[in-house]
Structure formats: structure tokens, C-alpha cells
Amino acid sequence: MNAKNKKIVRIRDLRQLGLEGGAVATLENSSQVSLKKDVAIENIRGYVQGEIRDLKLRVGYKELYPRIQTITRHDVLVAKRSQSGQLILTGQGFTRKEKRK
């Protein structure tokens, strides 16, 4: 793996950020989702039995990944989407844990 690929965010990184806690991803429509261990939680408003209520929508990382623009954790920018469309780590606020062999 070359140095360029080491900076690209992977789904495994999203899971690790969710496990460590405090991570928030901003999507392309400016809404924010909080990252958890297995899924992301998006707060939306919707109708339930004719009433408008606040709902928590569970979104899988696989379908969420292309919509993410930035990721922050504890007010530190962890990753942002580049001009080429790749989600790139900034080098601050997150250290990738490699798999054991």
C-alpha cells in the first residue's frame, strides 16, 4: 500500500471512529449524522400516526460513504472530500489501527 492509499478513509475507519465515540459526519445536503459502532444515526423529522415527530434513522456505512463531505470528532476535522471525490484523512484527530495478522 502506498502513501496515497493510506490517507483514503475506509469503511473500517468509520466503524473505528464510531467505536471511539464523538464522531460526526456532515453529508452533501448539510445534514449531520453521528457515527456509532455498526451504523450511523441520522436525526430526521417525519410523520408518525399523523403527527410530526423527531426520528432517528439508522443508516449503514456502505450507503452513507458516498454522501459524506467531512468528518469531525471533538471539533477536530478528521477527514474531508477532495476535488477528485475521495474522502481523505487530514492527519489530525484519528489514528488508524491496522489489522493484526
Side-chain angles (χ1 to χ4, degrees), residues 44-90:
I44 61 169
R45 294 181 58 84
Y47 281 100
V48 176
Q49 296 179 349
E51 297 179 12
I52 296 179
R53 294 190 182 179
D54 293 328
L55 304 172
K56 293 185 177 185
L57 182 66
R58 295 169 50 115
V59 183
Y61 287 130
K62 190 173 182 179
E63 69 180 69
L64 181 74
Y65 186 84
R67 298 172 35 205
I68 296 175
Q69 292 300 312
T70 61
I71 299 172
T72 57
R73 186 169 77 173
H74 304 299
D75 296 328
V76 175
L77 183 65
V78 174
K80 67 178 187 173
R81 193 157 302 272
S82 67
Q83 294 284 343
S84 63
Q86 294 180 329
L87 197 57
I88 305 294
L89 291 170
T90 60

Side-chain angles (χ1 to χ4, degrees), residues 8-65:
I8 296 174
V9 176
R10 298 179 268 187
I11 292 178
R12 185 170 72 206
D13 297 332
L14 297 177
R15 287 192 179 108
Q16 185 64 37
L17 282 164
L19 186 65
E20 292 173 3
V24 176
T26 304
L27 305 181
E28 56 195 8
N29 62 357
S30 299
S31 64
Q32 293 187 335
V33 296
S34 57
L35 303 179
K36 301 297 180 190
K37 180 182 175 186
D38 295 322
V39 294
I41 306 294
E42 184 174 8
N43 292 323
I44 61 169
R45 294 181 58 84
Y47 281 100
V48 176
Q49 296 179 349
E51 297 179 12
I52 296 179
R53 294 190 182 179
D54 293 328
L55 304 172
K56 293 185 177 185
L57 182 66
R58 295 169 50 115
V59 183
Y61 287 130
K62 190 173 182 179
E63 69 180 69
L64 181 74
Y65 186 84

